[in-house]
């Protein structure tokens, strides 16, 4: 079996290594729900526990404790 790299055109007889996607662009026409899609993706993919900030501060405008980020 042969594998074709569609970007470089290279042909290989070994299965290509799979690289994780590290980002992307959400480019759609106005009014199709890009904001809602982005919020949904953020909520469906929370940060791992080791990236959970321990420092919090009071946000008077939101009236809640906000985790500090760098």
């Amino acid at each position: 079996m042969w594998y074709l790299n569609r970007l470089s055109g290279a042909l290989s007889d070994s299965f290509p290594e799979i690289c994780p996607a590290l980002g992307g662009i959400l480019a759609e026409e106005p009014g199709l729900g890009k904001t809602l899609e982005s919020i949904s993706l953020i909520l469906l993919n929370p940060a791992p526990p080791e990236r959970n900030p321990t420092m919090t501060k009071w946000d008077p405008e939101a009236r809640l404790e906000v985790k500090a980020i760098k």
Side-chain angles (χ1 to χ4, degrees), residues 2-28:
W2 294 94
Y3 299 95
L4 172 67
N5 183 326
R6 295 188 306 186
L7 295 176
S8 67
L11 213 68
S12 173
D13 60 349
S14 61
F15 190 77
E17 65 180 70
I18 298 173
C19 300
L22 299 176
I25 296 174
L26 183 58
E28 293 180 348

Side-chain angles (χ1 to χ4, degrees), residues 2-70:
W2 294 94
Y3 299 95
L4 172 67
N5 183 326
R6 295 188 306 186
L7 295 176
S8 67
L11 213 68
S12 173
D13 60 349
S14 61
F15 190 77
E17 65 180 70
I18 298 173
C19 300
L22 299 176
I25 296 174
L26 183 58
E28 293 180 348
E29 296 293 323
L32 294 178
K34 293 180 292 297
T35 303
L36 187 58
E37 285 183 50
S38 299
I39 293 170
S40 300
L41 285 171
I42 291 168
L43 293 175
L44 285 173
N45 297 294
E50 62 270 7
R51 292 191 52 200
N52 193 5
T54 55
M55 291 180 24
T56 61
K57 68 174 188 164
W58 177 255
D59 186 339
E61 186 175 341
R63 289 180 280 177
L64 55 89
E65 290 284 327
V66 179
K67 291 186 178 184
I69 57 173
K70 292 184 179 180

